[in-house]
Amino acid sequence: QVRLVESGGGLSQAGGSLTLSCAAIGRTFSGGVMAWFRQAPYGERELVARIGWNSGTTLYPDSVKGRFNISRDMAKNTVYLQMNSLKPEDTAVYFCAAHPSTYALWHPTQYSFWGQGTQVTVSS
């Protein structure tokens, strides 16, 4: 059974940093992608970072570019999201996602596997 297990959420003050981790259990996503999405209360689920597992190529929306960094540790089958200069509007539940091909880009319906989500709260 394939699982994505997230950790590292919590509370930060504005301007602070948090790091999220997502371990893929049961398979690797070689040839595919892993990503982080977030969903605020009453909001849509939006992509915040994506990484090609083999290439390491990354993708970010303008809202987090320069503040968030996605990376992967192939030996640990784990992807990380380093979040810096956090803002109150970054408050959301953050989800790890994966897909076995590089087809998956911006939309959540393009991803086949999901973690359970972890809460990130940024206070002003």
Side-chain angles (χ1 to χ4, degrees), residues 67-122:
R67 300 189 298 121
F68 289 12
N69 182 66
I70 188 171
S71 62
R72 87 275 197 231
D73 185 327
M74 300 176 87
K76 294 182 178 180
N77 214 26
T78 297
V79 65
Y80 303 95
L81 183 68
Q82 174 70 39
M83 303 182 291
N84 301 316
S85 301
L86 284 164
K87 305 175 180 180
E89 52 263 43
D90 294 320
T91 296
V93 177
Y94 283 69
F95 296 90
C96 178
H99 191 73
S101 81
T102 56
Y103 157 79
L105 291 173
W106 293 99
H107 203 277
T109 60
Q110 296 171 326
Y111 291 78
S112 301
F113 299 93
W114 290 88
Q116 77 283 1
T118 186
Q119 177 70 44
V120 170
T121 302
V122 183

Side-chain angles (χ1 to χ4, degrees), residues 29-40:
F29 289 93
S30 177
V33 299
M34 293 189 73
W36 289 95
F37 284 77
R38 68 185 179 189
Q39 188 166 17

Side-chain angles (χ1 to χ4, degrees), residues 6-50:
E6 300 131 333
S7 60
L11 178 65
S12 174
Q13 291 188 329
S17 298
L18 287 172
T19 300
L20 306 181
S21 301
C22 173
I25 299 171
R27 67 165 292 166
T28 65
F29 289 93
S30 177
V33 299
M34 293 189 73
W36 289 95
F37 284 77
R38 68 185 179 189
Q39 188 166 17
Y42 310 110
E44 295 184 349
R45 193 168 294 192
E46 62 173 353
L47 180 78
V48 294
R50 170 195 181 272

